[in-house]
């Protein structure tokens, strides 16, 4: 379980998180939605300790991270997999080396075992025959699948996805959505997904949280969110130009 308790974060005079209370449930696919610039990536970076709150607490599995030193964060981060918006593969490493990286860094497994795990993960994402290629030789969708295989390589307790399907065609989006749903079922890990893709959100989320004005303004199952009468949520999920949101052109 990942808990935010009354978390505030500002950059200069710009207040991004304003007393954020949020409980991301264990063994579930938690989606965080909200407008561009609402602070979704900032929220993810707090979970990994890359950004520290100005006040408030963040607890991971009941452990308050307030007093964590860099070494404690490094230990905690080993329990996480991460898929960044731009895939963020190591350009100079092959597909196989990219997926092996967290296994080499974060575990004491023997190279034979690592090779076997990497082969299994690459098979899962349909890229077993591309393992000796460099990221530059792959399409955007393939790079995302490599990043996905790398994110789940160690069977982490938590996997964070920052816009995993942005820029991909609808069919590749569905492939990634299915991979997320299948992997979560298999690992029973806690997934946290930031996404603007409402179709995927309603298809695979167990729980949806909407961030607005530095706070969570709505939360619920896909059915609950789809049926809400809250005008703010309705405008966002339906993409209307008129409603409580201020629209800037
Ligand atoms: N390190 C930083 N220093 C200053 N401002 C920052 C920093 N990180 C984020 N911000 C600001 O915080 C706000 C929220 O940014 P964030 O990237 O979390 O938005 P987001 O909801 O993920 O947006 P998008 O959906 O477009 O990716 C933005 O206005 C951004 O400029």
């Amino acid at each position: 379980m990942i808990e935010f308790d009354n978390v505030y974060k500002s950059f200069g005079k710009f207040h991004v998180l304003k007393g954020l209370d949020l409980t991301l449930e264990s063994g579930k696919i938690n989606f965080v939605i909200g407008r561009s610039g609402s602070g979704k990536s900032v929220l993810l970076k707090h979970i990994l300790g890359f950004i520290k709150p100005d006040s408030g607490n963040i607890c991971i599995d009941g452990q308050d991270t307030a007093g964590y030193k860099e070494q404690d964060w490094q230990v905690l981060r080993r329990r996480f997999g991460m898929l960044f918006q731009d895939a963020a593969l190591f350009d100079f490493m092959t597909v196989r080396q990219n997926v092996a990286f967290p296994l080499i860094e974060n575990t004491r497994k023997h190279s034979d075992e690592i090779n076997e795990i990497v082969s299994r993960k690459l098979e899962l994402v349909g890229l077993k025959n591309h393992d000796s290629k460099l990221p530059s030789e792959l399409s955007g969708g393939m790079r995302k699948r490599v990043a996905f295989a790398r994110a789940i390589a160690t069977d982490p307790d938590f996997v964070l996805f920052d816009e995993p399907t942005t820029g991909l065609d609808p069919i590749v989006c569905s492939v990634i959505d299915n991979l997320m749903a299948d992997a979560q079922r298999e690992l029973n890990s806690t997934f946290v997904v930031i996404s603007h893709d409402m179709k995927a959100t309603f298809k695979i989320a167990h729980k949806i949280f909407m961030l607005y004005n530095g706070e969570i303004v709505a939360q619920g199952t896909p059915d609950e969110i789809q049926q809400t009468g809250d005008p703010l949520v309705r405008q966002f999920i339906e993409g209307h130009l008129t409603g409580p949101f201020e629209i800037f052109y």
Side-chain angles (χ1 to χ4, degrees), residues 29-30 43 72 81 108 166 181 189 202-203 213 227 241 249:
I29 304 181
N30 302 274
L43 186 156
D72 302 316
R108 291 168 186 272
T166 300
S189 308
F202 291 130
K203 188 169 117 193
N213 203 15
Q227 283 161 24
L241 288 176
Y249 292 97

Side-chain angles (χ1 to χ4, degrees), residues 20-58:
L20 182 82
D21 288 318
L22 168 68
T23 300
L24 298 162
E25 295 177 17
S26 295
K28 295 265 162 60
I29 304 181
N30 302 274
F31 268 68
V32 180
I33 61 172
R35 293 197 62 194
S36 276
S38 60
K40 303 180 299 296
S41 300
V42 166
L43 186 156
L44 273 198
K45 287 175 189 159
H46 275 85
I47 297 174
L48 293 168
F50 294 134
I51 292 180
K52 305 287 176 357
D54 296 333
S55 64
N57 297 80
I58 297 161

Side-chain angles (χ1 to χ4, degrees), residues 39-248:
K40 303 180 299 296
S41 300
V42 166
L43 186 156
L44 273 198
K45 287 175 189 159
H46 275 85
I47 297 174
L48 293 168
F50 294 134
I51 292 180
K52 305 287 176 357
D54 296 333
S55 64
N57 297 80
I58 297 161
C59 295
I60 313 278
D61 283 347
Q63 264 216 339
D64 194 345
T65 59
Y68 270 26
K69 308 228 172 354
E70 190 48 35
Q71 202 186 349
D72 302 316
W73 281 110
Q74 280 173 16
V75 172
L76 181 69
R77 283 181 205 132
R78 285 190 207 129
R79 298 179 61 198
F80 281 81
M82 176 85 204
L83 197 160
F84 297 95
Q85 225 172 100
D86 57 358
L89 298 175
F90 300 113
D91 293 338
F92 56 93
M93 289 186 189
T94 64
V95 165
R96 175 167 288 277
Q97 287 166 336
N98 263 284
V99 179
F101 186 79
L103 290 157
I104 295 166
E105 284 290 299
N106 300 335
T107 73
R108 291 168 186 272
K109 293 185 194 300
H110 192 267
S111 59
D112 289 346
E113 194 184 350
I114 289 179
N115 261 325
E116 195 203 307
I117 294 169
V118 172
S119 296
R120 251 191 291 126
K121 300 294 181 191
L122 285 175
E123 191 160 8
L124 184 80
V125 298
L127 289 173
K128 206 173 168 192
N129 297 329
H130 299 273
D131 66 338
S132 58
K133 288 189 176 159
L134 288 169
S136 57
E137 298 174 271
L138 306 175
S139 71
M142 289 162 93
R143 279 201 292 275
K144 279 273 168 83
R145 282 188 282 151
V146 176
F148 182 91
R150 187 177 65 181
I152 61 162
T154 58
D155 294 347
D157 296 332
F158 306 92
V159 192
L160 310 183
F161 298 89
D162 195 350
E163 295 183 27
T165 55
T166 300
L168 303 178
D169 78 49
I171 295 170
V172 179
C173 287
S174 290
V175 169
I176 302 273
D177 298 342
N178 287 347
L179 282 173
M180 283 198 282
D182 292 347
Q184 194 281 328
R185 253 194 309 273
E186 193 187 311
L187 300 177
N188 198 30
S189 308
T190 305
F191 279 22
V192 184
V193 187
I194 287 176
S195 182
H196 289 295
D197 181 347
M198 296 317 300
K199 196 169 149 232
T201 305
F202 291 130
K203 188 169 117 193
I204 68 167
H206 295 133
K207 191 102 189 253
I208 300 167
F209 301 86
M210 184 164 153
L211 185 59
Y212 174 70
N213 203 15
E215 291 178 90
I216 297 299
V217 290
Q219 57 180 290
T221 62
D223 278 350
E224 286 165 347
I225 295 291
Q226 269 173 313
Q227 283 161 24
T228 183
D230 181 336
L232 201 67
V233 180
R234 292 242 66 85
Q235 185 186 357
F236 182 77
I237 63 177
E238 289 164 7
H240 293 311
L241 288 176
T242 52
F245 276 114
E246 282 181 69
I247 311 288
F248 301 102

